[in-house]
Amino acid sequence: MTGKEKNNTSCILENSVLKLYGELTIMELNKSLYDIDKALGECMDTNLVFDLENLTFIDSAGVTALYYFKDKLTAKGVNVEIRGGAQDINRKLELFGTEPENIQKGSDKTGLFEKLGSGVSYVFNEFIAGFFQLAADITYWSVSDLFRRHTSRKGEFINQAVLIGVNAVLIVGAMTFIIGLVLALQSAAQLRSFGANIYIVDLTVIAMMSEMGPLITAIMVAGRSGSSIAAEIATMKVTSETDALRTMGLNPVRFVIVPKMHGALITLPFLTIIADMCGIGGGLVIAVTSLDISPLVFIHRMQEAFLMRDILFGVIKSLVFAYIIVVTGSYFGFRVKQGADLVGKVTTQAVVVAISLVIIADSIMGLIFY
Amino acid sequence: MKTDSVIKVEKLTAILDDKIILSDVSFKAYSGDVTAILGSSGSGKTVLLKHLLGLYPGEGNAVSVMGLNPSQLDEGQQKHFYTRLGVFYQNGALLNSLTVGENVALPLHQHTDLPPDLIERLVKLKLRLVNLQGSYNMFPSSLSGGMLKRAALARAIIMDPPLLFCDEPGSGLDPVSLASLDNLILNLQKLLGMTVIMITHEVSSIFRVADRIIFIDQGKVIFEGTLPEALKSQNKALMEFFRKGRGD
Ligand SMILES: Nc1ncnc2c1ncn2[C@@H]1O[C@H](COP(=O)(O)OP(=O)(O)O)[C@@H](O)[C@H]1O
Ligand SMILES: [Mg+2]
């Protein structure tokens, strides 16, 4: 066990012979692959020998790499011979060296990106402390992974954006349209009795942009995605997938939650704007049908009532809500220690708490901004 | 004689949710051996494994794995530590959203910057070693129980780790699949020169693979020794265990 890792691999290319020294193992390979590749790239000969005489140890990855180079060179028309290895090394060359059969690519990639999850440390017993620690962890990695693209999973972020945002467009749009409709309908009678019909526009626009749009969107997303995030992570904990990630050196928060956080933060503002529009559409329908306001007048008035500030406020709110939903979902997912029966319970808790926190945050922000 | 212990546990006590799960557990496991940790269900084997893997950070000095205390590693040490061990989890713990090939490749992507075509070769070699060459593009959900276990084994050995942990590899398998999985693990152990720690409650597995045995009962180590010694032991719980396991 001792001292093995100090023996670095090195290679010298001379007179069509590539001499390898030291140990050729997976971690050494990671360091020296580039050197070997470079040395071989400069090689102009048609015959080449890999001399393993000075190689002290090789593992299956090392053998695979040797044949990998050999095949690359063969493809360029270079004849490669591997020789000189000690008995032990030759045995491994035989064991691991057979050509890889070509497994054809392209079978179905229908994978639903579910059942991912994560494991933070077991110290998170305390409710509040645990929650804020997790929130801090998620925040840290969400920000730092923005600048380290290669570490996060390519494509997973887009999958999450689709799952959390795009797939919710229809339901969110429909719900806000109905709410816009009902809101305008309820106010119509009152406004008519004051002869203040035209203010239906201001009412709908302001209510939707700064309050209803972001809130309804967040509640729908908490119900759809907050629960699925909690269930996914809880399931991963129960099946040890989070432990497996950690012992492979992967951080479950980065691997599982960060793509969800990015996906939610990107899509929720758009979802909110769509919700605003649908809600105003609902108001428009009532204005036209029961208050005798023509669509043109409505839109003209809307331009006056419409404040950039309201839209911006709605977008900022939606970012905060997205953050709350993802953190709460993850937190309840992580609370499961063992036992699949708890998965359903934490899922419900996650939704209830996420919606409560969203409403609390909404009122706090309302107080601050007005 | 065996002197180089890969794992040394001295007086490990684990308390979870105010329950004592492990009390004063001490044992050693030696390089090149297959050490079986046995005990009935709920005796604390998985909790012990998690301590060996450093999954309960910052607790005590009782455990030493490859000369390191796994619960107190800094980031660099931890990365190095995890490249040198493979873990086969109780139910495979493959990620369902990734194909078998992608699952097996995960540690390579995490720990190395090797080019994708070489990574693919390494993955295919390991899949071939566990007789799963056709499953590279399949999703875990479409594999049978036995195949799933072998895929998990391929992932556990992808880094050629000197140390392999298996948590109840045989659970849920029929006796024939169990025997072939045991033989596979044994072959790989010889092939890759690994030290294996195998947690199990299958007596038939122990006869096939174990060099040494650690027997855990209700959070305590009741027996530590070689297989022949274990068979001669007069310990009640151990005798009962062997009798029942054979009868099954
Ligand atoms: N995270 C945890 N929190 C509280 N109790 C736990 C935890 N993990 C395991 N336990 C308890 O520890 C005991 C041993 O569990 P385990 O090590 O999984 O048993 P096994 O030997 O079957 O692997 C069980 O009683 C289990 O309920
Ligand atoms: Mg267990």
Side-chain angles (χ1 to χ4, degrees):
Chain A
M1 294 271 103
T2 49
K4 263 188 184 174
E5 50 272 44
K6 279 167 208 110
N7 257 330
N8 289 348
T9 330
S10 56
C11 67
I12 296 171
L13 183 65
E14 257 177 5
N15 305 329
S16 302
V17 178
L18 181 81
K19 287 192 171 172
L20 291 161
Y21 296 87
E23 300 193 343
L24 199 58
T25 64
I26 178 95
M27 290 316 284
E28 286 306 325
L29 202 54
N30 193 36
K31 290 178 225 154
S32 54
L33 189 74
Y34 179 76
D35 294 336
I36 301 177
D37 210 23
K38 205 170 133 216
L40 291 175
E42 287 159 5
C43 158
M44 291 293 152
D45 313 300
T46 50
N47 285 299
L48 194 66
V49 174
F50 288 174
D51 185 352
L52 311 184
E53 204 184 323
N54 299 304
L55 207 59
T56 52
F57 182 81
I58 195 165
D59 67 2
S60 71
V63 173
T64 310
L66 281 185
Y67 281 99
Y68 168 80
F69 284 125
K70 183 179 178 208
D71 289 355
K72 262 189 157 180
L73 291 167
T74 311
K76 284 201 299 183
V78 183
N79 252 325
V80 179
E81 190 194 337
I82 299 177
R83 69 163 190 228
Q87 197 183 359
D88 184 46
I89 288 174
N90 284 337
R91 194 179 62 95
K92 286 194 178 154
L93 286 176
E94 253 169 56
L95 281 171
F96 302 124
T98 28
E99 302 303 309
E101 61 275 56
N102 275 326
I103 298 158
Q104 70 277 28
K105 277 243 165 79
S107 70
D108 52 327
K109 265 236 172 189
T110 51
L112 288 177
F113 283 73
E114 278 187 351
K115 284 197 177 173
L116 286 181
S118 136
V120 191
S121 80
Y122 286 83
V123 193
F124 293 81
N125 302 332
E126 282 227 32
F127 192 94
I128 303 292
F131 187 88
F132 283 109
Q133 271 184 48
L134 179 63
D137 215 21
I138 294 175
T139 311
Y140 175 78
W141 289 117
S142 296
V143 174
S144 72
D145 277 359
L146 276 181
F147 305 103
R148 274 188 278 182
R149 286 296 342 166
H150 79 280
T151 53
S152 62
R153 285 191 291 161
K154 297 168 224 113
E156 179 60 8
F157 148 71
I158 294 170
N159 282 310
Q160 293 300 330
V162 170
L163 274 179
I164 296 172
V166 180
N167 291 353
V169 167
L170 214 68
I171 182 79
V172 167
M175 286 305 118
T176 43
F177 178 79
I178 294 172
I179 286 173
L181 208 74
V182 172
L183 197 70
L185 197 62
Q186 300 280 8
S187 333
Q190 303 292 324
L191 291 171
R192 205 184 293 117
S193 66
F194 290 114
N197 291 14
I198 191 67
Y199 287 107
I200 188 75
V201 183
D202 303 61
L203 190 129
T204 316
V205 170
I206 291 171
M208 273 301 152
M209 295 265 181
S210 60
E211 201 53 50
M212 285 314 214
L215 196 60
I216 301 299
T217 308
I219 290 175
M220 297 308 294
V221 172
R224 287 182 79 252
S225 305
S227 59
S228 80
I229 291 171
E232 212 174 292
I233 293 169
T235 309
M236 285 191 74
K237 280 213 79 175
V238 172
T239 56
S240 321
E241 284 168 49
T242 53
D243 287 340
L245 282 174
R246 290 177 64 194
T247 49
M248 290 187 286
L250 289 150
N251 180 337
V253 167
R254 291 175 74 182
F255 194 83
V256 185
I257 301 177
V258 167
K260 292 184 196 302
M261 184 58 98
H262 288 162
L265 286 175
I266 283 284
T267 53
L268 238 70
F270 290 107
L271 211 52
T272 301
I273 290 171
I274 291 172
D276 292 345
M277 293 307 146
C278 292
I280 293 171
L284 176 69
V285 169
I286 295 301
V288 171
T289 55
S290 78
L291 289 173
D292 298 327
I293 296 171
S294 85
L296 272 179
V297 173
F298 188 99
I299 288 166
H300 187 252
R301 177 75 197 172
M302 197 174 117
Q303 281 164 354
E304 283 166 29
F306 179 96
L307 285 176
M308 212 46 216
R309 185 171 166 276
D310 285 325
I311 279 248
L312 199 68
F313 184 38
V315 165
I316 291 171
K317 272 184 167 180
S318 72
L319 291 174
V320 174
F321 296 160
Y323 180 83
I324 289 175
I325 292 166
V326 175
V327 171
T328 313
S330 316
Y331 173 70
F332 281 95
F334 280 129
R335 276 178 68 82
V336 174
K337 294 208 179 95
Q338 25 155 211
D341 48 333
L342 281 175
V343 176
K345 200 171 133 202
V346 296
T347 308
T348 319
Q349 287 173 342
V351 177
V352 173
V353 172
I355 292 178
S356 313
L357 288 180
V358 161
I359 292 173
I360 292 169
D362 183 55
S363 46
I364 293 175
M365 281 187 285
L367 286 174
I368 292 174
F369 286 102
Y370 281 98
Chain B
M1 271 325 295
K2 285 164 182 167
T3 47
D4 43 348
S5 62
V6 181
I7 293 178
K8 202 163 96 188
V9 178
E10 249 168 71
K11 302 210 162 167
L12 171 68
T13 297
I15 298 170
L16 291 170
D17 290 350
D18 299 329
K19 270 191 302 180
I20 299 175
I21 310 289
L22 298 172
S23 57
D24 279 344
V25 166
S26 306
F27 69 90
K28 281 182 183 172
Y30 297 96
S31 177
D33 272 359
V34 177
T35 304
I37 298 179
L38 31 152
S40 50
S41 180
S43 55
K45 304 184 295 293
T46 301
V47 171
L48 173 61
L49 173 68
K50 287 186 178 181
H51 275 95
L52 298 180
L53 296 175
L55 292 173
Y56 299 113
E59 286 175 20
N61 263 321
V63 180
S64 158
V65 177
M66 296 185 286
L68 294 166
N69 177 355
S71 63
Q72 287 168 357
L73 302 174
D74 63 36
E75 211 172 303
Q77 286 173 319
Q78 194 174 48
K79 186 173 155 63
H80 183 66
F81 183 67
Y82 286 143
T83 59
R84 306 195 61 209
L85 55 84
V87 191
F88 178 141
Y89 286 89
Q90 195 153 351
N91 292 305
L94 294 179
L95 302 169
N96 283 318
S97 57
L98 305 179
T99 63
V100 170
E102 288 166 336
N103 260 295
V104 177
L106 263 184
L108 289 173
H109 285 298
Q110 178 63 12
H111 296 298
T112 73
D113 304 314
L114 300 177
D117 49 345
L118 179 54
I119 287 190
E120 185 175 327
R121 271 189 178 219
L122 290 167
V123 170
K124 285 179 175 168
L125 167 68
K126 292 293 152 58
L127 285 176
R128 191 158 48 84
L129 291 182
V130 300
N131 297 321
L132 273 183
Q133 38 274 76
S135 308
Y136 185 83
N137 285 313
M138 284 161 83
F139 280 92
S141 53
S142 57
L143 299 186
S144 73
M147 289 163 88
L148 213 56
K149 305 244 169 188
R150 283 183 277 139
L153 189 57
R155 187 177 71 179
I157 60 170
I158 187 66
M159 300 292 292
D160 283 279
L163 183 57
L164 175 70
F165 293 95
C166 303
D167 191 358
E168 309 215 1
S171 69
L173 290 186
D174 58 274
V176 178
S177 313
L178 176 64
S180 68
L181 184 70
D182 285 340
N183 289 329
L184 183 61
I185 292 175
L186 216 52
N187 284 338
L188 290 173
Q189 185 238 354
K190 298 212 178 82
L191 206 56
L192 303 172
M194 294 182 295
T195 304
V196 177
I197 310 296
M198 181 142 139
I199 292 176
T200 180
H201 62 228
E202 301 278 352
V203 173
S204 60
S205 286
I206 297 157
F207 284 114
R208 272 190 291 269
V209 301
D211 295 312
R212 289 181 80 252
I213 286 174
I214 320 283
F215 184 72
I216 294 187
D217 191 35
Q218 295 177 358
K220 293 198 181 68
V221 172
I222 302 234
F223 174 85
E224 178 181 1
T226 63
L227 181 59
E229 287 166 6
L231 289 170
K232 274 185 254 153
S233 160
Q234 293 301 310
N235 183 295
K236 278 239 173 59
L238 192 56
M239 281 162 69
E240 174 78 351
F241 193 83
F242 278 125
R243 197 181 55 71
K244 263 202 310 208
R246 266 180 193 162
D248 283 353

